[in-house]
Amino acid sequence: MSDETRVEREGVATEREGLLATWAELRERESVVVAGTALAVLLFPYLFARAPVVSDALQGYQSLAELILIWGIFVIGYDLLHGYTGLLSFGHAAFWGGGAYAAGVFAANVSGSPLAMLVVGTVFAALLAWVLGFLSLRRGGIYFAILTLAFAQMLYYMALQPLASITGGDNGLGIGRRTIDPLLGFIPLEAGVPVITELVSTWMYMLIGGAMVFTVAVAYRVLNSPYGMVFRAIRENEQRAEFVGLNVWRYKLMAFVISGAIAGLAGALFAIHNARVPVESLFWTTSGEVVIMSVIGGVGSLFGAPLGAAVYLYIANVIPGIREVMLFTQIDKLFPGPQAVVLPEWANPAPYWHLILGVLFVAIVVFFPRGGVWGGIKDLRRTVAERLRGDR
Amino acid sequence: MTLPVVPLQVAGDLVRLVINGITTGSIYILLAVGLSIILGTLKFVNFAHGALYIVGAYLGLIIAQQPRFGGKLPEWLQDLGLIDGATVGLGWGYLAALVVVPVVVFVVGLLMERFVAQPFYDRPDTDQILLTFGLALILQELFRVLFGGQSQSIAQPPWAEGSALGLPLVGDVLRFFGVSGVSTWRLVIILITAVLVGIVYLLIEYTDFGLTVRAGTVDAEMVELLGIRLSRPYLVVFGIGAALAGVAGLVGGPLVNFNPDYGGNILVPAFLTVVVGGVGSIRGAVLGGLLFGLVQAGLIQFGFAAWSEVGIYAMAAIVLLVRPEGLLGDEVVA
C-alpha cells in the first residue's frame, strides 16, 4: 500500500469519526433524548397496531401498545433503583398498586380529573416509598429484597381483607369509565386526537405517551446529574461512597422514593386505563413481573426498560393467541395459496407462554446479567460503528 | 371439691390455640429451617424453595392417592399407554409418601445444588435471587402444564382422621385441660415436624459432619485451607434443606389447598421466619415459626381473622426494627 492511499484513508476515517462523534454528542443531549422519545411514542402505536405489513406480522393492537407504555414507565422507575442504585426490590407492587388504589379511591370520592388522579397516585406512592424505604433500607442485599417483598405482601393482605370496604377486597376496586372525567375538563379520553388519529388513536394514548415522555425526561435528568452519579457510585461500591463522605443512606432512600413515585405514576395510569384496580396489582407476582421486564430489557439502561416491558407483554398477550402463523400478505400475491399456516395442536403455544418467559429470563440472568435486549442492541450498534470507522 | 369451670374452659381454648398455632407454625418451620441452613452455610439465597414445597405436595399427592388432574400429564400418559382412566397416581397411601417424598426431594436438592447453585456461588446475591426466582417460575409453569392450575389437596390419611380426644393417653391429657375438638392430624403434623427438625438439629450440632458445616459457616476459606473439602457437606446441606421443604408440602397438603402458584405465596412467610429468627440458626427458625403460627392462630381465635395474614408481617416489621439481626441471630449481616 502506498503512502498516499494511506493518508487518504486516514482522512476519510477522521471525517467519519467526526460525524460519529457529533452524532454521539447529539445523542447524549437531553433535548434530543426527549424529542426522540416523543417521536418514538408518536410512531409506536401506528407501527405496532395499524401500519400495513408490520402490524400484520406483529399482530399488535392499540390497547396493548398503551399497556406497554404504562408498564414501560413502571420498569423505568424500577430500574432507577435496581439498575442504577443496585438495590434489588421485590416489593414494587406496593407502589404500583398503591398508586393505582390511591388514584381510584380519589376518583371515586373526590374528583375524576385524570391529571389529578395521576398526581394523587404519584404522591401517595412517594409517601409510601418513604415509609417502606425507611424500614427496608435498614438492611442491604438479600434482606432488602425479602423485606420489600414482605411489606408489599402485607399491603396486599390489607387490601384483600381488613380494608376491603375501601379497596373492594377480592373483587378489586371498580372505578368505572364514567367516574373518570375528560382531560382538562373538556377532552374525553376516548375521543380521537384530531389530525393524527391514524397515528396515535385516542387522547388516552396521548395521556399515557405524555407521561412516558415526562418520565424519560425526569429519569434522564436525574441520572445525568451529580445526584444520579452518586446512585451509580453506590451501586459500584457502597463502602467507598460512604468513605468519600456521602450520606449513602439518604441517597438510597431518595432513589427508593423517586423509583416508588414513578411506579405510582404508572399504577395511576393503569387505574385510568382499566377503569378498575385488580387486587393482584399489589400481589408479589406484580413485583416479579417488573423484575422480569427489567432484566429482559437490560438492567441499568433507561431505554431497555420499556423494551423489556414490550417483550414481556408481547409474549404474554400475543403468543397465547397465535394458532395461525400469519404470512405476509404480499407473499400471497406472488404465491397464491393459503395465507396462514395453522399450527398443530401439540405446537399450540398458548399453555406455554409463561414457561417461554421463564426460560428467556433465566437465560438472560445466566448469560447476559447486565445486558438484556438493550445490551444486545448496543453491542450491535458498537459493531456497526466499528465497521464504519474501518478498524476491524 | 368441685373444680372451677370457667378457668378450665379458658385453659382448654388456650391449649387449642397453642396447638393450632404450632401446626401452622410447623409448615413455616419446616420451610424456614431448610432456607436458614442453606442461607447460613452456603450463603445462597434460594427463591425456589417454595417450588420445592410444591414438588413435595404434588409428589405426595401422586404417591398417596389416585387423583384427577386437569393438566397435560394424564393425556400424555394415556397416549403412551401407561394409564387407562383419567386418574394419575400410585395410591400407595400417605405413609409411603412420607418415606418417598423426602428421598426424592433430597435428590432434587442435590441436583439443584450441583447445577443451579454451585455455578452461582461467586456471583452477586442479586444474581442468585434472580436466577432462583426464574427457576421457581419455570418449575411453577411446568407444574401448571402437567397438572393444571386448579387447587388440589391431599386427603388426610384414615388413621389420622377424627378428633384427638379419642386417642389413648393423649386424649386423656387433652380432656384434662378441657380441650374440645382438636384433630389428630394436627398432632401428627407437630410430631413429624418435631422429629425431623430434631434430627437435623442433632446432625448439625453433634456430629462431625455438623462440625464441618458449622466451621464452614464461620470461615469457609480457613476450613478449606485445613484440607477439609466443603463441597460435599454443602451438597448434603442443600439436599437436607430441600427434603424438609418437600415434607412441608406433603404435611401442609391436607391442611391448605395448593396449586402451582402456592410455592411463591408460602415463600414469603418462610423467608420472614428466617429473617425474624436469625439467619443460620435452627433454633431461630423454630422460634420464628412458632411465633408466626401463634400470632396467626391468636388473631383468628380472637375474632381478627381478617388481620391474620397482616399480623405476621407487622410482627416481622417490629422485630426487625428492634433487632435487625433477628431474634436469635448473633451477627449483623450487612
Side-chain angles (χ1 to χ4, degrees):
Chain A
M1 197 193 291
S2 71
D3 284 356
E4 264 174 54
T5 48
R6 185 177 293 165
V7 169
E8 211 167 84
R9 280 178 64 106
E10 271 172 6
V12 171
T14 42
E15 198 172 280
R16 271 195 185 142
E17 219 150 63
L19 271 176
L20 276 174
T22 323
W23 162 236
E25 192 198 322
L26 264 178
R27 216 175 51 206
E28 302 288 315
R29 213 175 279 169
E30 192 178 294
S31 53
V32 175
V33 167
V34 173
T37 311
L39 191 68
V41 163
L42 282 177
L43 290 178
F44 170 59
Y46 174 72
L47 288 177
F48 188 61
R50 278 178 298 277
V53 191
V54 190
S55 72
D56 284 347
L58 287 175
Q59 300 202 357
Y61 45 94
Q62 177 72 21
S63 89
L64 183 58
E66 289 167 1
L67 214 54
I68 286 175
L69 283 204
I70 295 175
W71 279 91
I73 295 172
F74 186 15
V75 184
I76 289 177
Y78 181 79
D79 205 41
L80 274 181
L81 189 70
H82 175 206
Y84 288 92
T85 321
L87 293 165
L88 177 61
S89 155
F90 248 83
H92 260 50
F95 312 121
W96 161 268
Y101 270 115
V105 170
F106 182 78
N109 297 305
V110 188
S111 149
S113 157
L115 292 179
M117 284 171 75
L118 293 186
V119 171
V120 168
T122 311
V123 170
F124 179 79
L127 293 176
L128 191 64
W130 208 300
V131 176
L132 296 193
F134 189 81
L135 293 172
S136 319
L137 284 167
R138 297 172 66 87
R139 309 200 56 184
I142 53 167
Y143 302 97
F144 175 75
I146 295 167
L147 282 179
T148 46
L149 177 59
F151 286 124
Q153 279 296 85
M154 180 164 95
L155 289 182
Y156 166 76
Y157 283 114
M158 281 172 91
L160 192 64
Q161 275 196 319
L163 302 180
S165 56
I166 306 170
T167 60
D170 204 13
N171 299 323
L173 178 70
I175 302 171
R177 289 251 167 261
R178 286 200 200 138
T179 317
I180 299 171
D181 293 340
L183 201 57
L184 300 174
F186 65 93
I187 310 167
L189 286 172
E190 292 79 25
V193 183
V195 187
I196 49 172
T197 318
E198 177 64 14
L199 222 52
V200 296
S201 185
T202 58
W203 283 101
M204 173 72 86
Y205 183 81
M206 289 303 275
L207 179 70
I208 296 167
M212 172 57 105
V213 175
F214 172 76
T215 307
V216 168
V218 168
Y220 197 81
R221 173 63 69 84
V222 169
L223 289 175
N224 289 290
S225 67
Y227 214 86
M229 195 97 89
V230 178
F231 289 172
R232 259 164 288 177
I234 291 171
R235 178 186 75 195
E236 293 309 324
N237 195 331
E238 191 177 328
Q239 207 170 26
R240 199 173 281 181
E242 184 99 54
F243 287 167
V244 171
L246 297 165
N247 189 344
V248 167
W249 153 260
R250 256 192 48 202
Y251 280 97
K252 286 205 290 197
L253 185 60
M254 214 48 221
F256 198 74
V257 171
I258 297 173
S259 170
I262 295 177
L265 171 68
L269 277 171
F270 185 68
I272 295 173
H273 183 255
N274 278 25
R276 83 178 272 276
V277 185
V279 72
E280 286 77 27
S281 52
L282 282 170
F283 200 47
W284 72 268
T285 46
T286 304
S287 307
E289 279 173 342
V290 78
V291 173
I292 297 171
M293 290 176 188
S294 129
V295 169
I296 289 180
V299 175
S301 63
L302 188 53
F303 301 104
L307 268 179
V311 171
Y312 183 102
L313 291 170
Y314 187 78
I315 293 180
N317 289 291
V318 177
I319 299 278
I322 295 184
R323 269 307 291 283
E324 300 175 349
V325 179
M326 296 287 287
L327 299 176
F328 289 93
T329 33
Q330 268 71 9
I331 291 176
D332 184 49
K333 282 168 191 146
L334 292 174
F335 311 101
Q339 288 184 25
V341 179
V342 179
L343 294 176
E345 175 57 37
W346 59 266
N348 179 12
Y352 305 112
W353 70 267
H354 235 123
L355 200 60
I356 296 170
L357 268 174
V359 172
L360 176 67
F361 174 75
V362 168
I364 289 180
V365 170
V366 173
F367 299 112
F368 317 96
R370 301 203 70 81
V373 174
W374 186 251
I377 294 177
K378 269 205 295 203
D379 284 352
L380 197 71
R381 201 175 61 193
R382 198 174 303 127
T383 320
V384 170
E386 272 167 15
R387 283 282 163 92
L388 278 177
R389 223 175 278 142
D391 46 61
R392 299 200 186 157
Chain B
M1 198 178 77
T2 51
L3 287 165
V5 176
V6 176
L8 258 187
Q9 258 179 359
V10 170
D13 281 351
L14 268 181
V15 171
R16 202 167 66 148
L17 174 105
V18 169
I19 291 176
N20 285 349
I22 298 178
T23 325
T24 313
S26 291
I27 311 292
Y28 296 149
I29 291 171
L30 283 172
L31 280 165
V33 168
L35 264 180
S36 189
I37 54 177
I38 292 174
L39 192 55
T41 53
L42 285 70
K43 310 275 182 285
F44 185 77
V45 200
N46 190 9
F47 264 51
H49 208 68
L52 294 169
Y53 177 100
I54 291 302
V55 172
Y58 276 102
L59 198 62
L61 186 58
I62 288 184
I63 292 170
Q65 291 162 237
Q66 296 194 307
R68 281 171 185 280
F69 290 114
K72 294 209 175 276
L73 186 66
E75 283 173 37
W76 289 345
L77 289 180
Q78 267 171 353
D79 289 348
L80 290 173
L82 289 173
I83 54 166
D84 299 327
T87 55
V88 180
L90 302 170
W92 290 350
Y94 195 86
L95 279 178
L98 207 51
V99 176
V100 178
V101 167
V103 176
V104 175
V105 185
F106 180 81
V107 175
V108 172
L110 298 187
L111 294 174
M112 258 177 92
E113 202 273 346
R114 260 306 104 98
F115 296 108
V116 179
Q118 218 176 49
F120 268 66
Y121 282 153
D122 295 333
R123 298 269 286 264
D125 291 344
T126 47
D127 280 7
Q128 295 177 0
I129 296 178
L130 292 176
L131 175 75
T132 48
F133 171 64
L135 184 71
L137 207 67
I138 292 178
L139 284 174
Q140 172 186 319
E141 288 312 311
L142 276 177
F143 275 95
R144 194 195 308 286
V145 170
L146 289 177
F147 300 110
Q150 69 273 56
S151 285
Q152 303 278 355
S153 74
I154 303 174
Q156 283 179 17
W159 44 265
E161 270 173 2
S163 167
L165 294 177
L167 296 174
L169 198 64
V170 181
D172 295 335
V173 174
L174 289 175
R175 225 171 282 124
F176 172 78
F177 285 108
V179 179
S180 55
V182 165
S183 68
T184 313
W185 179 242
R186 290 186 174 268
L187 297 183
V188 173
I189 293 181
I190 296 172
L191 185 71
I192 294 173
T193 308
V195 169
L196 287 179
V197 173
I199 291 174
V200 173
Y201 183 75
L202 293 177
L203 196 67
I204 299 280
E205 292 291 325
Y206 295 104
T207 62
D208 284 353
F209 164 77
L211 190 65
T212 318
V213 170
R214 278 182 294 139
T217 309
V218 179
D219 191 342
E221 204 178 344
M222 193 64 209
V223 174
E224 300 224 294
L225 284 177
L226 290 172
I228 301 167
R229 268 177 57 184
L230 274 177
S231 65
R232 196 152 306 153
Y234 277 5
L235 187 68
V236 175
V237 164
F238 207 109
I240 292 174
L244 286 178
V247 173
L250 179 63
V251 174
L255 211 60
V256 195
N257 287 354
F258 56 88
N259 59 17
D261 297 341
Y262 190 67
N265 303 357
I266 192 86
L267 182 72
V268 187
F271 255 126
L272 277 192
T273 311
V274 174
V275 178
V276 162
V279 171
S281 157
I282 294 180
R283 281 182 297 172
V286 172
L287 180 65
L290 288 180
L291 271 178
F292 278 0
L294 289 174
V295 166
Q296 234 171 349
L299 285 171
I300 292 172
Q301 180 105 357
F302 296 117
F304 297 101
W307 291 90
S308 66
E309 294 284 350
V310 180
I312 59 173
Y313 297 101
M315 210 189 74
I318 294 167
V319 169
L320 284 165
L321 284 175
V322 181
R323 248 186 98 82
E325 66 272 36
L327 290 172
L328 296 183
D330 44 15
E331 50 168 342
V332 182
V333 196

